[in-house]
Amino acid sequence: MSSELSRENIRRGLGTSFIGQHILYYPSIDSTNLRAIQEARAGAPEGTLVIAEAQTAGRGRLGRRWYAPAGSSLLFSLILYPPLKPQEAAQLTMLTGLAVAEAIESLTGLAVSLKWPNDILIRGRKVGGILTEASSTSEKLDYVVVGIGLNVNFRASELPEMATPATTLFDELGCEVSRLQLLQAILARLEARYLRLRSGERFQAEWAGKLETIGQYVEVAGADGIQRGWARGVSEDGALIVEREDGQIAQLSAGEVRTAALPPAGEPQNRAHNS
Ligand code: BT5
């Protein structure tokens, strides 16, 4: 059986009821997220999968780029209409990160961790990223597009140099992985978690357990400059909860996090929180 990422192959043996049942496949496209947003606005069915072998304008957050050599990554987006409030959109990033991590772990045996807010890591190196783009009215989400880029069957040395070092499944395993099987495993896990989300479950506690940064002294570079403190957890809307040296609790909704050198006083002991 061919392991090509064709629509027929993806649908064959895919044990989902709606995620990935409607497929738009492109040998090359600007960005699967952009395409999915257009499709969502036009009312595409829930679970529509937009997948490409190559992107000419793959997107990251804040106008950044996603790079991928043609034909050897997984580059796809899903259209969802979750019955959630706008501030709950981060739940989709969380459940997607958990589903991707589980799928990679079960197929390859590699240990996967996540990095706030949207990175997928192996041994501290970035193997994938998630870009969640939502549109909402004041009360509820109209649609959410979840885009996933995963480095699969190529070498990270083929990528331009990045701030966070990159890796690929090929680099980690020394052999190729079936992109078709990996995609199907991700879609099945994603649907199972999405149905749990629709039934009222929330994923921030499990997600926090998979995040590299929790418990560490970190610095977060955001729109308001750099904030430092101990990463204590995450809120339901995906904000990183950071305890500053003065004991104040800050909830950071966006930014780049990295481990920082400890302040001279060390970690606060049994300090009362002022939140
Ligand atoms: C992300 O953004 O990590 C989200 C990436 C989502 C890409 C998928 S591909 C399918 C779908 N369609 C799209 O157009 N996008 C989604 P961010 O956290 O902003 O990280 C972007 C940064 O990651 C870049 O500035 C680079 O430093 C780095 N980067 C780019 N390509 C990479 C790669 N292949 N592997 C590791 N790091 C990469």
Side-chain angles (χ1 to χ4, degrees), residues 29-35 50 52 55 57-69 73-77 117-120 125-133 145-151 154 156 159-168 255-256:
I29 195 172
D30 50 1
S31 151
T32 59
N33 262 41
L34 279 179
R35 185 78 257 223
V50 181
Q55 295 182 121
R59 309 211 297 177
R61 290 174 303 141
L62 310 165
R64 289 190 288 239
R65 290 288 309 270
W66 186 256
Y67 303 100
S73 284
L74 279 176
L75 306 165
F76 64 98
S77 304
N118 67 328
D119 288 352
I120 300 159
R125 292 164 180 268
K126 185 159 171 173
V127 72
I130 300 166
L131 179 64
T132 302
E133 299 190 271
V145 164
V146 182
I148 299 160
L150 269 184
N151 301 334
F154 63 93
L159 292 168
E161 199 152 315
M162 317 278 183
T164 306
T167 191
T168 71
E256 297 301 320

Side-chain angles (χ1 to χ4, degrees), residues 1-21:
M1 194 181 83
S2 163
S3 60
E4 203 190 312
L5 286 181
S6 64
R7 294 169 60 203
E8 295 66 35
N9 284 345
I10 294 170
R11 239 189 256 112
R12 191 183 302 134
L14 178 65
T16 62
S17 62
F18 61 100
I19 299 266
Q21 291 297 332

Side-chain angles (χ1 to χ4, degrees), residues 225-248:
I226 293 186
Q227 306 242 25
R228 290 187 184 79
W230 282 268
R232 294 300 190 206
V234 285
S235 64
E236 196 170 333
D237 61 6
L240 186 67
I241 300 169
V242 171
E243 182 183 359
R244 295 201 197 108
E245 269 169 81
D246 61 6
Q248 294 273 353

